[in-house]
Amino acid sequence: MSYPLNQVNTCTKYPYTIISYMKTTTLLSRLHLIIEELRYIDREFPAQLMSTYFYVMSHNGCYQKDMHEPLSMTSSSLTRNLQYLGCKHRSGKTGLFLVSRERCSKNYKKHRCYLSPKGLILAKKIQARLEGKKPT
């Protein structure tokens, strides 16, 4: 089914052919549902925080030091994001409890990052959304 190119949606100013294409793109709708899962936890879930969570999700047990380069973040930004994903946020506010940081037993200056039980539950929901399934 095709729409004439001269018909325009008055809300978005895009031709209907583009909108119908966007509606059929299942990957974008899956991505939207994943972002909504994160926004359910925190309405203003920042992109930098999302990137940090996804990195820990895909590299569970990684060293914090190894995260700087792939995420293109400074040490202070990364620490701030990990603390927010952990148990405390800046100014003593409660964190999201999605990630836990633990000191390495061999070198006390290094931290390893793991998904917390709450973070694992969210990771399973995200994985289900990626596969096009409804999360349980």
Side-chain angles (χ1 to χ4, degrees), residues 20-32:
S20 62
Y21 173 75
M22 288 172 59
K23 286 181 181 177
T24 60
T25 306
T26 57
L27 291 177
L28 287 178
S29 62
R30 290 179 193 174
L31 179 61
H32 174 256

Side-chain angles (χ1 to χ4, degrees), residues 17-102:
T17 52
I18 294 172
I19 291 173
S20 62
Y21 173 75
M22 288 172 59
K23 286 181 181 177
T24 60
T25 306
T26 57
L27 291 177
L28 287 178
S29 62
R30 290 179 193 174
L31 179 61
H32 174 256
L33 291 172
I34 289 168
I35 291 170
E36 289 304 311
E37 289 281 353
L38 295 171
R39 289 187 67 233
Y40 180 75
I41 293 170
D42 182 0
R43 187 159 166 40
E44 301 296 328
F45 208 98
Q48 207 177 42
L49 195 66
M50 195 180 309
S51 182
T52 305
Y53 173 73
F54 287 149
Y55 189 87
V56 175
M57 185 177 136
S58 61
H59 299 86
N60 202 15
C62 62
Y63 286 104
Q64 180 176 338
K65 185 178 180 181
D66 297 336
M67 296 171 68
H68 299 284
E69 190 176 323
L71 293 175
S72 301
M73 283 187 208
T74 63
S75 176
S76 58
S77 293
L78 183 59
T79 300
R80 184 181 65 247
N81 283 314
L82 287 170
Q83 285 178 341
Y84 188 14
L85 287 168
C87 58
K88 69 172 187 170
H89 183 40
R90 292 188 284 182
S91 307
K93 295 179 183 176
T94 304
L96 301 175
F97 296 98
L98 297 173
V99 171
S100 65
R101 282 175 55 217
E102 298 175 6

